[in-house]
Amino acid sequence: MSLEVVERIDKVFGHLELKLVVDSGKVESKFTVTQDARFIEVVLEGRSYLEAPVIASRICGACSIAHFLASVNALENAMGVELPEDAMILKDAMNKAQIAQNNIVHLFFLALPDYYGLKTLGELLSKKPDLVKIGFKLNSLSLKAVDLLGGRIVNPNTYSVGGFRKDLARDRIEKVVKTLREAEDYAKQVLEKVIELELPELEDPAPNYVVVQSPQGYLNTSNNLYGSDGEVFLGIDYTKYIEEKIVEYSNSKAYYYKGKVFYVGSRARLNAYHERLLGYEDYISKILKESNNPFSNIKAKALEILYTIVDVRERLEEFLDKKPKLRTEFKVRAGEGVGVLEAPRGLLIHHYKVDNEGKITYANIITPTAFNSRHIEVSATKLGERVLEANGVDVGELQRKASMLIRAYDPCLPCAVHVTVLKSER
Amino acid sequence: MTWNLMDKCCDKCWHTLEYPCRNYVRCRIEGPLCHDDPECRKKRENRIKEILYGRTGFKIKVPMASCTIAAGAEEVYKAVLDEVKSRGINADVTISGCMGMCYMDPWIELSKTDMPSAIYANVKPNEVSKIISEYLSGDVSNAYALRNRTGKAKGEDKVPLLEELPAWKNQIRWVSRNCGIVNPESIEEYIALGGYRGLDRALRMEPEEIIEEIKKAGLRGRGGAGFPTWLKWKIAREQPGDVKYVIMNADEGDPGAFMNRLLAESDPHRVLEGLIIAAYTIGASKGFIFVRAEKPLMAERLSKAVEQARKYGLLGKNILGRGFDFDVEVILSAGAFVCGEETALIAAIEGRTRPRQRPPYPATKGLWGKPTIINNVETLAHVATIMAEGWKKFASMGTEKTKGTKMFCVTGAVQRTGAYEVPVGTTIKKLVEEIAGGPGEGRRIKAVQIGGPSGGCVPANLLTTPIDYETLQKAGAIMGSGGIVVIDDKSCMVDVAKFFTSFTVAESCGKCFPCRIGMKILYDTLTRITEGKGREEDLEILRELGEIVRSASLCALGGTAPNPVLSTLRYFEDEYLAHVRDKKCPAKVCRNLVEYWINPEKCIGCGTCKQNCPSNAISGEPGKKHVIDVSKCIRCGQCFIVCPVGAVEKR
Amino acid sequence: MVKVIVNGKEVEVSEGSVVLDAIKKAGYSVPTLCFFKGVYNEAACRMCLVELPNGKLVPSCAYPVSDGLKITTDSERLRKTRRMVLELILAVHKMKCYQCARKGGFCLLLDFAKEFGVEGIPVCAECPLHGEDCLLVKGEPCLGFLTIAGCGSPCTREGTPCFGCRGPVTREDVIETAVKRFIEHGVDLRDLHSRMKLFWSSFPQFKHVFDLVLKYEKKYMGEKK
Ligand SMILES: Cc1cc2nc3c(=O)[nH]c(=O)nc-3n(C[C@H](O)[C@H](O)[C@H](O)COP(=O)(O)O)c2cc1C
Ligand code: SF4
Ligand code: SF4
């Protein structure tokens, strides 16, 4: 007996299909990105270092800050820009604020209804109005923080290679601090709710991950990567460790870490660096119980919301009493650089070569969802087998569980499809 | 010095300016009323006869109005005077106003006891002598028309009577009755012809009764909007306060309309009489005559009329002993079209500029914040006539909604240009074809533009529309002041619209944006179309923008300015489309859209065109066919004009 | 007191008020441009037009109230009319916004242009209003001169030169001034071209705009030499 279940996944950013082929007890899954290809890397070539981050930020409306900063990091590395520490901290704050905001959107608007056996946010709103209202509130507060730090809620404009364009006024920082203080309590409430959710059982068939190494604390900028096998390597060497394969049936590519399927994202971050999260031990111990379950990504996300909100606030409070130095002088020069960054959905890599006018001659971008796509397939296969064992061939259940799983990864397709075969031929 | 009809007949007449006699006006003709003296009666009768037929029994009348003067009346007048003097003829040479039949200008009228009054048209100064000799010899066969027949003169029956002329017989001369008859510079003549009887009657009535009378007559303003005159007066009358004003709007500014000028130049006392009645009715003690400085004769005649009326107590304190004080000031306007608009007119008198938003209407808050009525010259002339003749006769003419008659100026492609008075409701066709004679042999009326730059074009197939405020509005035109321009097939409708639009663009006061900028953009778009650079979307722009300008402008100038564009667009869209789509001007008017070529069948090879072409576009050997190089042709049209055999044609 | 019905809602206002007072009292608003209460109420701009039941459009800032007067403040027709009037006003506006004296002030035209989606005002109109100095002076390749305003200039406010993401202004005189200024301040024209192509190359009007830019560059570069 053979059966094909094709599910168009809703409530994700972009368009994708998951095809499960069930053939005499065996399951095969294909993760197909149906979103049209975009040619961002081609667009980037020939652009100046001032324009590149602006273009890059347009890759994704949800995580524009991540793309912007990864692009900036890559260019700063390429041209050897030494940022003042304050600028680094503020840059991280920008990124973290966005991680918080993205995670909130993911939880409330996309993933959470699944865990209450519901379809949409609307249904959730009528069932759990208090929870959803907190979500809304939290979303708007975090957006405000993003707005204040980035200049607007998408496509940041306060920063360009070399630092922040202007000094952030003190009252603006005060506003961020105030906003985040207000958000903190809500974040805690959400975390406490989410952490208690019951997850579908699933054992990760490929428990390998790659994250950005975070020397001081959690989620901070660095140029190193860290693999689940303990290997620490330079971002610029990513091609030595991570191998890329073209997938015919999808507009996205597949990636392997040292030949193995791996995952990135909140769960990876938490699994790698949970010791560094001081003050959250109770929560962490609860989450880690299921750390090998891909579904637990949503719990890790909830934790990150709280952490980022508190962390950004604490760091900005230090800024209140000093005049931070946010910009540095630098010389435009030729070079090659890789920017690695923990985007809301996991590892993001921007890789550029620039000429001595600061124009980009080569660009490569790999996004979290691209890294995750293979892992999604293997998990989905595993999940399919489990469902088959437990319920027999139940198409409805298969579809439901599979799409729930995919949503738990929080894939973002507009990011994933910027890559094209065309490009690699150039 | 002969006795003047306006003077005392004898010492028994006690009328003075300080203590005026109530019957002063009536007494002039019917009198004497306060004493019975056959001598005095005789005096009056003789004087009236003198006025009407001349002292000498031979009267020569030369019309003196701006239009006839332009046609050469002054020279004719001089020639007549010279002739009379040199021949020692005993004749009264007087002036009169204009009859409104411009195509006859200049004309002279000769009348002698026992002879028919004969009118000679298009007189040249050197013909005067012959005309007088002929007439005196009892021969009228060369006259253009006769006022009456006596059966005694030679050739009488070959000459039509004036009222038999097609241009005359369809008219009803109600307000223009005295035009061309009365001497406009003489109050005496006006009174002899029954003038100021309306005022006399009005002053014997209560203001409310006058309003009622005008209401029953059904008079609507002739200035353009057709607002019921009685209502305007009533509103103004009911306003509290003693200071009120009346204004005569003699600022006629539409190109193609001259009936106000004609009336005021030919019969100024009639309009003044109307103004005095209006003032009495609303209780105003001060009036203004707002007249264009560009029409000096009109201003002069009106000023003279005011002076004379003042001299005889028809203006001033205690008019006709009714305890009613009223005086008039003539104000010269600088001559902007917009100053005809009520609020702009008021602003101009106050020394400001530009219209203001209505309401408040002038009738409640006008000149210097006081209740003010503004009436058109013709409206006031109607008032005077209605008050003299009674409302019934007036109300028996016209349509259900609009009573009475209206003067129209018919110009353009017609044989008999002129100002004609017809009952409201007369069809355009009758006015244009029967009265004005149509465009003449071989030409076809394409459209009729009614209401000047604020009006619209009515196409030939709607010529049977009766002229009335409402019907014209429905057809996309307006009655306006009554200018009618007849357009024949030699005119391009886009060009016509452009012409009228250029007028309003220049005349917009610039206060409000839709009119100031919108009209300019309309004009630019039209220009583009006539230059062959139009696009099909332009028609939509014209339509939309026209609507917006119409509804959003502050005053009626902007509110009506798009009419020419909108109406031509409505009826002649095909012509517009020919311009924008095929880049052709069907009437071959728009310069950039015509191509000149030489018809080889007609060309005689004279070379004139070649010599005159400024851009050397024409080539050809003498005696051979010439050709135009289209790429070099700048479309100046020189060759078209100079070719002796009409071989240059447009296509 | 007289009763006025604004969009079906009854309000009472004192005699001698204008329709605008009634509209405000009823909680509605209409755009006004030339109206400054007690200073200028000449009803010249025609932005505040409202509709009477007979279909007439009258300016609310000057039209006196009367008992039982019914007015409509919003309709397809009114919006269209106001929009068109605004377009007309902008059509003759000089658009030398960078010279605007209203530093730190407000610009109603700009506000309305945003509200009605009328293009024509460049982003650089906003810098003076926010009290910002022109970035061109610092040699930054700012496209604010040529970009349709309405975004609130978040970028230039943060010191980032405009990237033109809202698309180009097509008015020739605006383009001319812009190019003139670019050249005056010695901004690298190649940088600018690259920037223009960044967001504008997909706009249908781009070719037209770019041709004009090149035309005036030629003109003013020539002059400079
Ligand atoms: C632009 C414009 C020009 C006008 N010109 C004249 C004019 O020349 N003569 C005139 O009597 N009325 C003119 N009017 C009409 C007057 O505003 C007013 O309606 C008229 O004088 C009222 O008189 P009535 O009631 O006797 O018609 C004009 C109106 C507008 C809007
Ligand atoms: S409509 Fe024209 S003439 Fe009338 S106020 Fe406006 S700009 Fe002036
Ligand atoms: S003027 Fe007329 S006839 Fe003479 S050459 Fe030209 S086209 Fe021929």
Side-chain angles (χ1 to χ4, degrees):
Chain A
M1 190 211 68
S2 158
L3 174 72
E4 260 191 41
V5 180
V6 179
E7 172 72 346
R8 267 170 219 277
I9 312 292
D10 55 4
K11 286 183 283 161
V12 293
F13 292 97
H15 311 288
L16 73 84
E17 266 174 23
L18 183 73
K19 195 198 267 174
L20 283 175
V21 183
V22 183
D23 195 353
S24 47
K26 273 188 68 194
V27 182
E28 197 198 334
S29 70
K30 279 182 179 169
F31 176 81
T32 311
V33 176
T34 50
Q35 179 110 7
D36 277 342
R38 301 161 78 206
F39 300 85
I40 297 287
E41 279 135 331
V42 185
V43 173
L44 280 173
E45 279 172 31
R47 291 284 171 192
S48 92
Y49 68 98
L50 284 173
E51 292 163 356
V54 173
I55 300 170
S57 71
R58 264 73 177 176
I59 291 174
C60 176
C63 59
S64 55
I65 291 185
H67 279 287
F68 184 85
L69 291 180
S71 174
V72 163
N73 286 350
L75 289 163
E76 282 173 351
N77 287 339
M79 300 196 282
V81 180
E82 299 278 346
L83 273 193
E85 199 187 329
D86 291 341
M88 292 284 267
I89 293 173
L90 208 55
K91 226 162 105 181
D92 283 345
M94 236 159 106
N95 190 30
K96 285 172 191 169
Q98 190 182 44
I99 290 179
Q101 191 268 335
N102 269 233
N103 287 357
I104 291 160
V105 171
H106 171 245
L107 274 182
F108 283 91
F109 294 82
L110 309 174
L112 265 192
D114 287 342
Y115 299 87
Y116 290 93
L118 303 170
K119 279 223 171 70
T120 63
L121 180 67
E123 288 173 15
L124 190 64
L125 181 61
S126 54
K127 276 261 171 64
K128 300 256 169 203
D130 294 343
L131 179 64
V132 177
K133 272 176 201 156
I134 291 175
F136 287 164
K137 194 80 200 156
L138 208 45
N139 187 27
S140 73
L141 288 171
S142 59
L143 270 179
K144 192 167 163 198
V146 170
D147 188 13
L148 287 166
L149 291 169
R152 48 183 175 182
I153 54 177
V154 287
N155 305 335
N157 52 23
T158 46
Y159 193 94
S160 73
V161 174
F164 283 80
R165 283 272 181 179
K166 278 187 168 181
D167 288 340
L168 284 195
R170 189 193 144 94
D171 62 338
R172 195 155 151 184
I173 294 177
E174 258 170 18
K175 262 190 213 156
V176 183
V177 169
K178 200 172 139 259
T179 310
L180 293 177
R181 195 169 281 144
E182 201 182 337
E184 197 170 319
D185 196 41
Y186 295 124
K188 212 172 264 164
Q189 291 177 34
V190 169
L191 177 58
E192 273 157 15
K193 278 264 163 44
V194 171
I195 218 160
E196 299 303 333
L197 288 177
E198 202 176 308
L199 304 177
E201 278 179 27
L202 179 65
E203 185 148 341
D204 189 343
N208 316 304
Y209 55 77
V210 180
V211 297
V212 176
Q213 195 206 18
S214 197
Q216 297 126 12
Y218 190 78
L219 275 180
N220 292 333
T221 310
S222 147
N223 282 327
N224 298 336
L225 296 175
Y226 173 76
S228 48
D229 57 352
E231 176 100 32
V232 175
F233 54 99
L234 275 175
I236 192 108
D237 293 333
Y238 73 99
T239 42
K240 292 189 191 139
Y241 296 87
I242 298 173
E243 126 192 51
E244 169 182 298
K245 276 186 191 155
I246 288 168
V247 184
E248 276 117 53
Y249 51 80
S250 172
N251 284 343
S252 171
K253 295 179 190 169
Y255 292 88
Y256 301 90
Y257 169 59
K258 292 186 178 169
K260 283 178 284 188
V261 177
F262 70 103
Y263 66 94
V264 299
S266 301
R267 184 165 69 101
R269 296 195 281 256
L270 193 68
N271 284 344
Y273 287 116
H274 55 83
E275 303 95 352
R276 306 238 173 116
L277 281 181
L278 303 177
Y280 300 91
E281 288 79 4
D282 291 355
Y283 302 123
I284 291 174
S285 62
K286 274 190 191 157
I287 299 172
L288 283 186
K289 276 188 209 143
E290 295 173 294
S291 71
N292 209 18
N293 182 347
F295 284 101
S296 75
N297 198 29
I298 65 157
K299 295 192 178 176
K301 274 179 181 279
L303 177 66
E304 275 181 1
I305 297 173
L306 180 60
Y307 163 73
T308 48
I309 284 175
V310 173
D311 187 57
V312 171
R313 194 204 75 223
E314 282 171 354
R315 279 164 184 268
L316 287 187
E317 272 167 356
E318 291 167 16
F319 274 48
L320 287 175
D321 307 321
K322 61 175 181 185
K323 194 163 169 18
K325 186 171 174 344
L326 295 178
R327 193 158 183 88
T328 181
E329 292 299 317
F330 64 95
K331 253 214 167 82
V332 176
R333 62 166 163 85
E336 180 174 0
V338 167
V340 294
L341 188 89
E342 279 299 335
R345 288 162 190 80
L347 176 62
L348 171 63
I349 297 181
H350 278 230
H351 177 194
Y352 302 138
K353 288 179 192 155
V354 295
D355 65 12
N356 47 19
E357 278 185 14
K359 292 226 173 359
I360 291 182
T361 54
Y362 167 85
N364 187 28
I365 300 169
I366 313 174
T367 63
T369 301
F371 287 130
N372 268 340
S373 60
R374 224 10 232 151
H375 198 264
I376 292 176
E377 282 179 354
V378 296
S379 309
T381 308
K382 186 84 190 260
L383 185 75
E385 283 163 8
R386 279 190 70 106
V387 172
L388 225 57
E389 263 170 43
N391 304 33
V393 183
D394 180 342
V395 176
E397 182 67 5
L398 261 180
Q399 282 176 332
R400 196 178 70 77
K401 280 269 170 59
S403 55
M404 192 165 158
L405 174 71
I406 286 178
R407 277 196 284 275
Y409 279 92
D410 189 11
C412 173
L413 295 319
C415 295
V417 295
H418 71 278
V419 174
T420 62
V421 183
L422 246 186
K423 194 238 124 220
S424 54
E425 281 168 0
R426 256 172 76 112
Chain B
M1 207 41 217
T2 44
W3 179 74
N4 188 320
L5 187 61
M6 309 301 285
D7 294 342
K8 289 172 185 277
C9 49
C10 63
D11 286 343
K12 273 174 264 165
C13 171
W14 52 270
H15 171 83
T16 60
L17 283 188
E18 287 78 38
Y19 301 102
C21 167
R22 290 190 170 195
N23 295 328
Y24 176 67
V25 169
R26 266 177 61 203
C27 178
R28 295 304 99 197
I29 309 177
E30 296 166 21
L33 295 179
C34 62
H35 58 284
D36 196 12
D37 186 338
E39 190 71 8
C40 293
R41 185 172 304 273
K42 194 89 202 137
K43 225 175 175 174
R44 282 181 171 73
E45 277 167 10
N46 282 342
R47 180 61 194 160
I48 290 171
K49 207 176 272 161
E50 262 180 36
I51 289 169
L52 295 184
Y53 305 107
R55 236 171 330 132
T56 55
F58 179 32
K59 191 166 176 178
I60 303 176
K61 231 191 286 180
V62 184
M64 285 297 213
S66 311
C67 44
T68 57
I69 290 173
E74 227 155 34
E75 287 76 22
V76 173
Y77 185 58
K78 230 186 258 140
V80 171
L81 283 181
D82 287 350
E83 190 66 25
V84 169
K85 203 168 158 206
S86 65
R87 287 220 225 155
I89 303 171
N90 204 6
D92 301 85
V93 182
T94 69
I95 60 162
S96 75
C98 164
M99 262 199 298
M101 318 225 297
C102 303
Y103 67 99
M104 284 167 50
D105 288 341
W107 50 271
I108 57 172
E109 182 175 344
L110 286 71
S111 49
K112 195 164 174 256
T113 13
D114 296 346
M115 280 280 285
S117 279
I119 296 169
Y120 292 81
N122 301 325
V123 179
K124 304 210 169 51
N126 56 8
E127 295 168 357
V128 168
S129 161
K130 191 169 145 254
I131 291 172
I132 294 178
S133 313
E134 254 181 39
Y135 186 80
L136 286 179
S137 71
D139 177 3
V140 294
S141 51
N142 282 326
Y144 184 80
L146 303 176
R147 282 218 197 250
N148 56 337
R149 290 214 164 91
T150 53
K152 288 180 193 155
K154 192 176 147 209
E156 224 177 79
D157 19 294
K158 272 187 266 155
V159 182
L161 279 180
L162 192 59
E163 60 227 44
E164 287 166 3
L165 291 178
W168 189 282
K169 77 176 173 212
N170 290 312
Q171 292 193 58
I172 292 185
R173 314 245 334 164
W174 171 266
V175 277
S176 58
R177 54 180 63 193
N178 279 355
C179 296
I181 295 173
V182 77
N183 178 349
E185 297 188 353
S186 154
I187 188 171
E188 199 188 359
E189 272 198 34
Y190 180 61
I191 293 227
L193 287 169
Y196 284 113
R197 295 296 291 270
L199 176 66
D200 178 82
R201 177 161 166 251
L203 292 189
R204 289 167 206 275
M205 292 159 73
E206 286 302 314
E208 280 72 21
E209 289 173 327
I210 300 176
I211 291 174
E212 191 58 27
E213 175 102 4
I214 301 289
K215 182 178 176 184
K216 277 199 244 156
L219 175 63
R220 294 171 71 175
R222 299 296 197 243
F227 192 77
T229 306
W230 67 270
L231 188 55
K232 199 189 266 187
W233 290 12
K234 186 157 181 265
I235 296 169
R237 163 140 194 94
E238 283 165 1
Q239 295 303 311
D242 329 324
V243 186
K244 294 178 188 175
Y245 299 105
V246 292
I247 300 175
M248 179 197 296
N249 187 347
D251 192 62
E252 195 172 51
D254 312 20
F258 51 86
M259 60 295 272
N260 286 357
R261 194 212 75 226
L262 192 145
L263 261 177
E265 282 178 0
S266 310
D267 199 5
H269 282 285
R270 183 176 301 273
V271 286
L272 180 60
E273 183 183 351
L275 188 67
I276 304 171
I277 297 173
Y280 171 70
T281 312
I282 70 155
S285 54
K286 173 95 195 174
F288 295 90
I289 294 179
F290 192 79
V291 55
R292 290 211 140 196
E294 285 125 322
K295 300 193 169 170
L297 187 63
M298 179 176 179
E300 187 193 318
R301 293 258 160 91
L302 284 166
S303 309
K304 229 175 224 171
V306 168
E307 234 166 72
Q308 289 173 351
R310 212 179 270 143
K311 184 167 165 200
Y312 295 109
L314 299 172
L315 281 176
K317 295 245 173 291
N318 195 9
I319 295 170
L320 294 184
R322 308 296 306 187
F324 159 57
D325 304 340
F326 179 63
D327 208 350
V328 172
E329 191 180 321
V330 177
I331 292 194
L332 290 186
S333 106
F337 178 54
V338 74
C339 283
E341 203 278 341
E342 296 185 318
T343 55
L345 192 156
I346 289 174
I349 295 180
E350 289 174 356
R352 294 180 293 115
T353 52
R354 297 175 174 188
R356 64 158 172 78
Q357 183 68 35
R358 299 180 310 167
Y361 292 97
T364 55
K365 208 165 171 237
L367 191 57
W368 294 299
K370 305 293 182 207
T372 304
I373 59 161
I374 296 169
N375 275 118
N376 175 252
V377 169
E378 197 185 332
T379 316
L380 292 172
H382 272 296
V383 166
T385 321
I386 292 168
M387 290 317 292
E389 303 264 331
W391 63 271
K392 276 202 183 113
K393 210 160 156 202
F394 184 83
S396 70
M397 301 177 286
T399 63
E400 193 185 328
K401 286 214 169 118
T402 315
K403 301 293 179 202
T405 58
K406 166 93 187 85
M407 291 184 78
F408 292 97
C409 291
V410 187
T411 54
V414 285
Q415 293 175 335
R416 293 192 285 270
T417 319
Y420 304 108
E421 185 174 1
V422 291
V424 179
T426 306
T427 62
I428 306 174
K429 200 178 173 75
K430 189 161 176 183
L431 188 59
V432 168
E433 289 186 346
E434 288 181 31
I435 298 181
E441 207 61 28
R443 286 166 74 185
R444 191 177 56 83
I445 296 182
K446 183 146 91 178
V448 168
Q449 159 84 18
I450 305 185
S454 326
C457 281
V458 177
N461 59 353
L462 288 182
L463 285 191
T464 47
T465 313
I467 306 176
D468 194 356
Y469 292 99
E470 283 75 20
T471 49
L472 283 185
Q473 201 138 46
K474 223 187 278 162
I478 63 164
M479 187 127 113
S481 49
I484 296 187
V485 182
V486 180
I487 297 162
D488 71 0
D489 44 8
K490 282 195 181 155
S491 299
C492 162
M493 296 315 287
V494 187
D495 194 54
V496 167
K498 189 178 124 197
F499 166 75
F500 283 110
T501 311
S502 73
F503 179 83
T504 29
V505 168
E507 293 293 337
S508 162
C509 81
K511 176 168 179 170
C512 69
F513 291 111
C515 168
R516 171 171 103 208
I517 307 159
M519 287 312 294
K520 179 79 175 73
I521 292 180
L522 279 186
Y523 176 72
D524 290 347
T525 312
L526 287 172
T527 308
R528 245 198 351 258
I529 293 177
T530 55
E531 282 174 356
K533 296 182 204 142
R535 290 160 296 155
E536 231 167 305
E537 306 91 83
D538 284 346
L539 303 197
E540 207 38 51
I541 295 179
L542 290 179
R543 228 173 249 132
E544 269 195 14
L545 188 56
E547 263 322 310
I548 301 271
V549 174
R550 184 141 89 173
S551 57
S553 288
L554 188 152
C555 82
L557 191 151
T560 52
N563 282 352
V565 183
L566 291 173
S567 63
T568 47
L569 202 50
R570 174 166 155 198
Y571 295 117
F572 298 95
E573 192 177 352
D574 49 339
E575 257 183 60
Y576 278 85
L577 282 175
H579 280 77
V580 297
R581 249 191 223 153
D582 318 331
K583 308 279 182 244
K584 281 261 166 336
C585 175
K588 304 201 173 52
V589 171
C590 300
R591 236 230 245 169
N592 286 7
L593 300 180
V594 298
E595 190 184 310
Y596 290 96
W597 70 295
I598 295 173
N599 188 342
E601 280 170 19
K602 292 195 197 155
C603 179
I604 53 169
C606 68
T608 315
C609 55
K610 190 173 163 187
Q611 283 162 18
N612 281 285
C613 177
S615 72
N616 288 332
I618 302 177
S619 56
E621 297 290 308
K624 302 235 174 76
K625 309 290 173 205
H626 283 53
V627 280
I628 297 175
D629 180 350
V630 187
S631 63
K632 285 195 200 154
C633 175
I634 54 164
R635 303 187 167 97
C636 67
Q638 274 303 317
C639 54
F640 182 79
I641 298 167
V642 297
C643 177
V645 293
V648 181
E649 290 174 0
K650 295 180 189 175
R651 67 176 169 199
Chain C
M1 291 304 250
V2 282
K3 221 179 261 166
V4 182
I5 300 141
V6 183
N7 296 340
K9 189 166 158 189
E10 255 182 41
V11 281
E12 284 207 339
V13 287
S14 59
E15 228 152 306
S17 328
V18 291
V19 167
L20 190 60
D21 300 328
I23 292 173
K24 281 190 184 148
K25 193 150 183 211
Y28 295 99
S29 71
V30 287
T32 57
L33 193 62
C34 74
F35 175 70
F36 284 94
K37 194 165 185 157
V39 180
Y40 191 89
N41 33 6
E42 288 279 330
C45 76
R46 320 305 284 174
M47 285 299 287
C48 70
L49 291 175
V50 294
E51 198 170 347
L52 299 185
N54 64 6
K56 251 197 182 161
L57 304 185
V58 296
S60 54
C61 71
Y63 200 82
V65 293
S66 54
D67 207 27
L69 183 71
K70 277 193 192 137
I71 54 165
T72 317
T73 62
D74 194 19
S75 70
E76 189 62 32
R77 174 166 173 231
L78 281 171
R79 273 195 299 270
K80 200 168 139 193
T81 308
R82 289 183 195 142
R83 196 195 137 101
M84 193 77 117
V85 169
L86 183 66
E87 278 179 12
L88 292 177
I89 297 173
L90 286 177
V92 293
H93 192 76
K94 286 244 162 43
M95 299 289 184
K96 302 238 162 146
C97 299
Y98 62 95
Q99 295 178 329
C100 187
R102 303 179 149 199
K103 206 159 179 170
F106 63 95
C107 171
L108 281 178
L109 266 185
L110 180 61
D111 294 349
F112 289 147
K114 280 186 212 171
E115 187 181 333
F116 289 94
V118 177
E119 297 168 2
I121 303 186
V123 168
C124 77
E126 312 215 30
C127 286
L129 299 184
H130 295 135
E132 300 286 338
D133 294 325
C134 184
L135 285 171
L136 279 188
V137 179
K138 296 187 199 159
E140 299 273 11
C142 181
L143 281 189
F145 263 90
L146 276 176
T147 306
I148 298 167
C151 52
S153 71
C155 299
T156 55
R157 248 196 286 180
E158 300 292 352
T160 303
C162 176
F163 283 94
C165 67
R166 286 174 59 85
V169 173
T170 47
R171 249 175 72 172
E172 185 161 348
D173 53 340
V174 177
I175 295 175
E176 181 175 353
T177 342
V179 172
K180 213 161 132 191
R181 295 270 295 173
F182 290 153
I183 291 172
E184 261 169 36
H185 290 290
V187 182
D188 187 341
L189 293 174
R190 278 183 315 163
D191 268 10
L192 279 170
H193 292 177
S194 160
R195 249 174 212 242
M196 288 177 197
K197 285 173 188 159
L198 181 54
F199 284 100
W200 296 353
S201 40
S202 60
F203 282 80
Q205 68 267 40
F206 178 60
K207 192 180 167 331
H208 166 74
V209 171
F210 198 64
D211 286 349
L212 286 175
V213 168
L214 292 180
K215 175 176 146 195
Y216 286 111
E217 271 175 11
K218 220 170 176 181
K219 180 170 166 199
Y220 290 109
M221 284 307 275
E223 252 172 41
K224 220 179 165 189
K225 276 176 206 153

